[in-house]
Structure formats: structure tokens, C-alpha cells
Amino acid sequence: MGYGHGVTETCLLLLLLRRATPWVMQTILRTQGPSRSNKEPNRKDTNMSTAIRPPFTYDTALAKVQAAEDAWNSRNPELVSLAYTKDSEWRNRSEFLRGREAIRAFLTKKWEQELDYRLKKELWTFGGNRIAVRFEYEWHDEGGRWYRSYGNEMWEFNEEGLMAHRYASINDVPIQETERRIFPPERSTAQPEVSS
């Protein structure tokens, strides 16, 4: 069944995000729907980093985790860095970072080395302005060797919904390419692309 010319950006977003929680869907409809005001939403805020603010509920914590997963799967250091405060502090494995510029540089190097990176995050617990997640991601090096990286993160947010602290512990396990289990969503050629 084809799509008529009357299909709006909202309908396409709803199709693409059919797994999203009801809260995320309501947020999308408020900011992207036909009834929006003349004021355009901030296009840089595609990961809803400031739309989802503490104190977190179960639904908003889930939405924050999903937004982070989506942003990291973009492998866009500029986009991802916007979810953090200008002076955000990280511990990533044995590296200690401070500030968006350091985060941006770190992510640029990361995705130059971890090829075909694909991530899945899961909410572990939350409270107030903090969220804990567990995650796994798969990638390969330049030699074609595949890995699955397992980890846990603790996040702390400021009142604007930007992450001020991120503490990540991560371990890598070599896998065969045939053992992969995290793949990008399949795109149907029948559906038009949605531009951001």
C-alpha cells in the first residue's frame, strides 16, 4: 500500500517510532504535529535532551534512555555532545573527560575506530535527577574483527535536562560476525526518507 501526498511529517515519525512509549509519542505530537504554533522547534534538539527534564518518572526515564540510544546510534559527535552540559564530567572506562569539546573529540575518535557501531540501552533504575542504565553495543575494527561491548552507566542531569555527569564501565568481548544481534532497523524502500 503506497503513501498519499497527504502523509504528514508527523505520520512518518509515528511510523518510525512505533516502539516509543506513549509519553514520547505525545511529546512528538506536541512539537511536530499539525497543531504546533508558528514557532519552529529547535532542530538541534532532536534527541530531546532538554525536553525531558528531572525529576524523572518511569515514562520520562524510559524516554530519556531511548533518546540517548537514538542519538548515539546516529554516530554524530556534534549531535550527541549537545545532550551534555558545557562542563559535563565523564569517566569512560579509564578515561576522564570534562566539557563538550572533549566529549566531541572523544566520540569522533571512538567512531573512527569502532566501525558499524550499533547500541542498545536498557533502563536499570532512576530517581530524582539520576538514571542508571545497562547497555551493549557491537562494532568491528579495521581488520574486520567484531566485538560486543557490555557496560553500565550512571547519569546525573541538571534542571534543564542536560547530563552533567556520566560514569561508564565497559568490557569488550570478541564475537564472530555471525553472532551479532544488534542491527539497525530495516528500512522499507516503499517509505520516503524523513529529513531532520
Side-chain angles (χ1 to χ4, degrees), residues 31-111:
T31 60
Q32 299 288 330
S35 63
R36 68 185 175 201
S37 70
N38 290 332
K39 182 180 176 186
E40 283 292 311
N42 181 356
R43 293 296 180 189
K44 286 186 177 180
D45 197 22
T46 56
N47 66 359
M48 296 189 294
S49 58
T50 58
I52 307 169
R53 300 178 180 191
F56 297 111
T57 65
Y58 178 70
D59 285 341
T60 60
L62 276 178
K64 198 69 159 177
V65 171
Q66 186 63 57
E69 178 183 306
D70 294 343
W72 279 66
N73 278 329
S74 77
R75 297 185 300 236
N76 180 335
E78 178 67 32
L79 172 70
V80 174
S81 70
L82 294 175
Y84 302 92
T85 61
K86 289 181 181 179
D87 60 349
S88 185
E89 294 182 10
W90 279 27
R91 181 183 58 77
N92 193 86
R93 301 178 190 247
S94 60
E95 291 189 64
F96 294 83
L97 308 171
R98 185 179 180 101
R100 277 191 193 150
E101 289 304 318
I103 291 168
R104 204 174 289 127
F106 170 85
L107 292 173
T108 299
K109 182 179 175 186
K110 172 185 178 67
W111 289 320

Side-chain angles (χ1 to χ4, degrees), residues 146-177:
W146 281 90
Y147 298 88
R148 185 175 300 122
S149 301
Y150 295 94
N152 301 298
E153 292 177 300
M154 295 178 290
W155 300 341
E156 183 177 67
F157 297 87
N158 71 6
E159 60 188 23
E160 299 299 317
L162 295 172
M163 196 181 299
H165 296 94
R166 173 183 178 263
Y167 304 105
S169 298
I170 308 167
N171 301 96
D172 303 319
V173 176
I175 61 170
Q176 297 297 315
E177 185 174 2

